[in-house]
Amino acid sequence: MKIKIINPNTTLEMTRGIEAAGRLAARPGTEILAVSPESGPASIESYYDEYLCIPGVLDEVRKGEQEGADAYVIACYGDPGLQAAREVTEAPVVGIAEASLYMASMLAARFSIVTVLPRIRTMLEEMVDGYGMTRRVVSIRTTPLCVLDIEEDPEHSWQMVRDDARRAVEEDDAEAVLLGCAGMADFANSLEEELGVPVIDGVVAAVKFAEGIVDLGKKTSKLKTYKPPEKKGFTGAMKGFGTA
Amino acid sequence: MKIKIINPNTTLEMTRGIEAAGRLAARPGTEILAVSPESGPASIESYYDEYLCIPGVLDEVRKGEQEGADAYVIACYGDPGLQAAREVTEAPVVGIAEASLYMASMLAARFSIVTVLPRIRTMLEEMVDGYGMTRRVVSIRTTPLCVLDIEEDPEHSWQMVRDDARRAVEEDDAEAVLLGCAGMADFANSLEEELGVPVIDGVVAAVKFAEGIVDLGKKTSKLKTYKPPEKKGFTGAMKGFGTA
Amino acid sequence: MKIKIINPNTTLEMTRGIEAAGRLAARPGTEILAVSPESGPASIESYYDEYLCIPGVLDEVRKGEQEGADAYVIACYGDPGLQAAREVTEAPVVGIAEASLYMASMLAARFSIVTVLPRIRTMLEEMVDGYGMTRRVVSIRTTPLCVLDIEEDPEHSWQMVRDDARRAVEEDDAEAVLLGCAGMADFANSLEEELGVPVIDGVVAAVKFAEGIVDLGKKTSKLKTYKPPEKKGFTGAMKGFGTA
Amino acid sequence: MKIKIINPNTTLEMTRGIEAAGRLAARPGTEILAVSPESGPASIESYYDEYLCIPGVLDEVRKGEQEGADAYVIACYGDPGLQAAREVTEAPVVGIAEASLYMASMLAARFSIVTVLPRIRTMLEEMVDGYGMTRRVVSIRTTPLCVLDIEEDPEHSWQMVRDDARRAVEEDDAEAVLLGCAGMADFANSLEEELGVPVIDGVVAAVKFAEGIVDLGKKTSKLKTYKPPEKKGFTGAMKGFGTA
Amino acid sequence: MKIKIINPNTTLEMTRGIEAAGRLAARPGTEILAVSPESGPASIESYYDEYLCIPGVLDEVRKGEQEGADAYVIACYGDPGLQAAREVTEAPVVGIAEASLYMASMLAARFSIVTVLPRIRTMLEEMVDGYGMTRRVVSIRTTPLCVLDIEEDPEHSWQMVRDDARRAVEEDDAEAVLLGCAGMADFANSLEEELGVPVIDGVVAAVKFAEGIVDLGKKTSKLKTYKPPEKKGFTGAMKGFGTA
Amino acid sequence: MKIKIINPNTTLEMTRGIEAAGRLAARPGTEILAVSPESGPASIESYYDEYLCIPGVLDEVRKGEQEGADAYVIACYGDPGLQAAREVTEAPVVGIAEASLYMASMLAARFSIVTVLPRIRTMLEEMVDGYGMTRRVVSIRTTPLCVLDIEEDPEHSWQMVRDDARRAVEEDDAEAVLLGCAGMADFANSLEEELGVPVIDGVVAAVKFAEGIVDLGKKTSKLKTYKPPEKKGFTGAMKGFGTA
């Protein structure tokens, strides 16, 4: 089967890292294709970035329909555009945030998210609440890290993530740690070893869930909420998204 | 003061109707400027449309900064891009959905939303929940109406909205009705007369709230969540949104 | 239009301060009339005070009907008697707590309330929850201040409020501060300047919302919950409230 | 021990009925004293009535302190003034609504409240939510009955309550029924017999809980929320409530 | 009347202590019978222990039906098997956790639970949430104590419980303390004296509630959820629980 | 890898059906072992059955540790003993109810559960709420079916399930259907075909999630909540569960 992982930002180094993580996690026979959209922000650290990456994400889903993708993974820890992507395709679409939350729920009674800049705390709280996970998430720990710092100085970034992950366990009563940025995928194993609790990276969690759903032949419900978009024209820079 | 109303869809007839409603509601001295973005969908009836109108909305906010707008109103009943707009400007930004919910809460103990197609029910439920209004909203009544049906056949649309509004009052125990589409602004008065309960159109509610907030000189908090977007490059069709 | 602000306590100095704040906020053409009831407590710092001020509040609403009030503001940060006031009049009635919460929600993603004595924490928590704002209010910070301390020693009171407001921002992740007592109205501007985040006083927020609602000609729903009180006799000290 | 039941309305026939129910429920050695306040409404069917009965209720608690009451029951299904009463005395104060909800929770998994006029639905919903019982209460069924109808035409009233109680069981999946008005105390046994599910009258539930709490020598916490009211003057009709 | 208290663990010293507490609390004429099941764990400190004590608990309820028990109390602070016990008997069954929460709610606005090992925090949080008490319970304070430490070194245990109870009051804003283990019943009075706030032991609370419910002749609803178990065979070690 | 599916009831025909469904879903290389416990009820349709199957379930997990199981699936739609099982083993344990809810959440915006007897409605509601899925589950539809009816008269059972599933879609606005009993696994495909919406059987969902988690080498967190049970003796029929 072919799983298309869409890194909603345009930083290709990060896409390559996500792809490597995805391939490592995939089982034999699963083809992993990771892409960045043709348009959008270099990283996602605000509502502004979050919303403005979505046209690119949806474009990649649309292209994936031609490419024969069996499932999609949206690889940014805010699951940008997830519901719209489900309108565009019948294939299952899995967000890395939801995947990490559901997998963590099957492995630990309570957990924390360690993520990037403080400004995204509210965005993550809303997201966690939307997934019904507020009671399980005992803390969201932001760090001073920008998304691209992780690419540029992985060693320092690892230390910062580790320090907050440890505080989550020791001070917040977390029993697992969720990596709140797709760029942190590489930290999962060493962090798990160091902390002695499950550390969940959403990218690999999403790949495994996608594999499982495709195995079962399940498709997104097209009954109402996730029906294909209504037929209509789009104008300007969005013209290509028109469906009429 | 100048209030810029952004109708996130590109249907100019609808924008004109919204503008008229806004002007009628504004007090002397308030300048109402209503626009449609240069790009985006002709109407908004899905997550797809909702997300894809946001670049156009943010573009209009950015332009508004040059035009001397004192406040912005986002005139689509899902408040698309609201938080991102708050990152882009210091001026207050008010969504018509939030405005309708807050105003209704000051006038009635429980109320219903009457809106367009069934597919947007979940989208509205999530929105209502995000504003903490789930206990007040006793029902969301969808109709078979598309957004543009309202422009094209206002008489028939009025009847359909009225019928469901009446059912909200009689069957769901609603004590006020909220119009769940900016295109329904014109129906408020006749519906209120017919039903004998407050009928709230979000466009005029938002204009009045914006006037009040501007009067007080209040600005959006730029401390953390709504700080200006981080500096970074954008590529492709989104290039113009780059901040670096 | 005429907005009648009812300070539910009987301390006239405080009523004068509230009136001044209201007038400053009102636009030209809005007449602000601020009163204390003829009966009730000198200040409100307990459920006991809260409930016992309500007869006086309702009496002032009743008198307001003769005085031609177009809207009412209840100026105590617990919104005492608000729903009953809505039964007594068709004119909109706005509580300063609800007004501050709704206005803050349009300006900041998360905020704190700074208020008087520790004993009212539960009362405020219940109130915030009733308005659906629990997720937005990141902390309620009580101080050792009594309500009338603010009148008697404004300088010292200002310092105490400022200190806790600063802690709300620095320690609780608040991005705006709500003044949890009508007597603190004067502190809003200097506090806002000092902290660099929006500081919301409910009195002026309520005045602006009331102006907006009156502009639109909206009235309280009289369908069911807020119908005029049932006809019946009252006895004893409450005899005057009889409706039969 | 002496339990003082305060019927917050001034209809003495109803007080006598409540007293009779309380005495039947009390064990030997428990003295039941039931009173109506000297001031207040003839019945309670709105927020207006609810708030305006509270001065009378608190007055009766104050008098009870002289009379040697060991506990108080507030016998109106909205628990008016309950928290303020807890400030006034160290003796336990039990509301009939809370008592009915807690007792029902120990006897049935889900239940309904059958009560008087439709206008009080929101008031009861807020009350149920305040007690954390929203998930257990599967419906609140209002009837066309006024409170005093029950005194005046008990046979007809019984039929109306029975019909809605039966619908609660058959249509709403309720497994017990709570009588949402102190005046319905007499209906409990015949209704229970007819429906075959527990029917809980809050008056007797509250008496039994009060007996139990007094047996254990437990008092209301006076630490913070329920401390005695702050010392201060009251004026006008409320002058007698002054504490300074 | 006869109240059968079932201590779900098999440590008889603890059962004797629970019985003594129950007898002290019972009024004249109430016979208290306290037992440990014939099978099960020596103490309950995990989900494992919690679930594995339930067959023994249900067996004791079944035996109680022959012994003429009028009510049952399940005396472990997780209320293990409570709903199943309600299926087995018509007599009321009261859990000590629910009893403590309901009694505390009638005496204090906010409270904390002080309990044994950290591993049971999640278990208690879920339980508190199931009873709708999450907003009232301001903290759950675990200690390093095992259940049987309390029997073996009561003096040291008392100190540990006291220290955390004091922190609950001073740091968490609790206004009452609930003893989160049946073995702590003896601590209630001295702790209450030392802290000056109500300290609630669930065992005695449950006994008093059971007395009250039995006085009223109320039975568990057998309509649906708590109907007798369906007729069917059981095999193996559970064979005796067969109902066919 | 080896996945051990534990059907908590002792009806072997049902276990065989579950095993067949599991094997069909498993990918090559996954060994599926399905068992019924040696002790317990023939079917699970009450809290009584639910709790009394748990010793048998835990016994099978313990045996699984010797058998080299890499993961466990608990195949009863109430996830009985799930948390205790997580204490007993480091291997992941997945309940079929949680698996169905999480998978459904990735495929549909809102869904219903169709299940057996009406008496288990509350049990399922509590379970759904515990998983944070209350907003997604638009209805729980019970049928008159007993669990073993499904084995005995599959054709008739299928019709009943289909009828309620259709009502869930047409009347409750469900966009997917979850089969609320492990015995219904066989119905998934034909039902999906008939209704045109995703129909999720928890058994196969759990198998796929287990495969994915094992692939990633993730283990249950043993930090606190799911630590191995405390060391202690058990007595009577439970003696074998002793850990000391």
Side-chain angles (χ1 to χ4, degrees), chain B residues 25 27 86 92-94 98-99 102-103 105-110 129-133 135-136 169 173-176 188-189 192 197-200 204-205 208-209 211-213 215-221 223-226, chain C residues 25 27 86 92-94 98-99 102-103 105-110 129-133 135-136 169 173-176 188-189 192 197-200 204-205 208-209 211-213 215-221 223-226:
Chain B
R27 63 184 201 229
R86 287 179 179 147
V93 188
V94 180
E98 64 174 350
Y102 297 152
M103 188 172 283
S105 293
M106 293 186 274
L107 294 171
R110 47 202 306 137
D129 193 68
Y131 290 127
M133 289 285 156
R135 279 178 289 178
R136 302 267 185 140
V169 169
D173 234 0
E175 304 186 21
N189 289 341
E192 188 162 301
V197 300
V199 174
I200 312 287
V204 299
K208 300 316 291 184
F209 284 175
E211 283 182 339
I213 296 172
D215 276 353
L216 297 179
K218 294 292 169 194
K219 306 281 187 191
T220 296
S221 177
L223 184 61
K224 210 173 287 183
T225 303
Y226 298 141
Chain C
R27 64 184 200 229
R86 287 179 178 147
V93 188
V94 181
E98 64 173 349
Y102 296 152
M103 187 171 285
S105 293
M106 293 186 275
L107 293 170
R110 46 203 306 136
D129 193 70
Y131 290 127
M133 289 286 157
R135 279 177 290 178
R136 302 268 185 139
V169 169
D173 234 359
E175 303 185 23
N189 289 342
E192 188 162 301
V197 300
V199 174
I200 312 288
V204 300
K208 300 317 290 184
F209 284 174
E211 283 181 339
I213 296 171
D215 275 354
L216 296 179
K218 295 292 169 193
K219 305 283 188 189
T220 296
S221 176
L223 184 62
K224 211 173 285 181
T225 303
Y226 297 142

Side-chain angles (χ1 to χ4, degrees), chain D residues 86 102 105-107 109 129 132 135 173-175 192 198-199 208 215 218-221 223-226, chain E residues 86 102 105-107 109 129 132 135 173-175 192 198-199 208 215 218-221 223-226:
Chain D
R86 286 180 178 146
Y102 297 152
S105 293
M106 293 186 274
L107 294 170
D129 193 68
R135 279 179 289 178
D173 234 0
E175 303 186 23
E192 188 162 302
V199 175
K208 300 316 291 185
D215 276 355
K218 294 291 169 196
K219 306 282 187 191
T220 296
S221 177
L223 185 61
K224 211 173 286 182
T225 304
Y226 298 141
Chain E
R86 286 178 178 147
Y102 296 152
S105 293
M106 293 187 274
L107 294 170
D129 193 69
R135 279 179 288 178
D173 234 0
E175 303 186 23
E192 187 161 303
V199 174
K208 301 316 292 184
D215 277 354
K218 294 292 169 194
K219 306 282 187 190
T220 296
S221 176
L223 185 61
K224 210 172 287 183
T225 304
Y226 297 143

Side-chain angles (χ1 to χ4, degrees), chain C residues 96-172:
Chain C
I96 66 168
E98 64 173 349
S100 73
L101 290 162
Y102 296 152
M103 187 171 285
S105 293
M106 293 186 275
L107 293 170
R110 46 203 306 136
F111 35 82
S112 293
I113 299 168
V114 178
T115 189
V116 293
L117 297 176
R119 66 178 299 157
I120 69 165
R121 173 185 301 286
T122 301
M123 204 156 76
L124 292 197
E125 282 179 1
E126 290 170 349
M127 180 270 286
V128 166
D129 193 70
Y131 290 127
M133 289 286 157
T134 296
R135 279 177 290 178
R136 302 268 185 139
V137 175
V138 294
S139 66
I140 293 173
R141 284 198 165 259
T142 60
T143 61
L145 290 170
C146 294
V147 168
L148 298 186
D149 289 344
I150 305 170
E151 297 301 316
E152 282 156 24
D153 189 350
E155 176 55 29
H156 173 68
S157 300
W158 188 84
Q159 286 169 15
M160 301 201 74
V161 169
R162 180 202 56 195
D163 289 354
D164 261 300
R166 181 173 289 139
R167 280 191 282 268
V169 169
E170 292 174 0
E171 300 172 21
D172 308 339

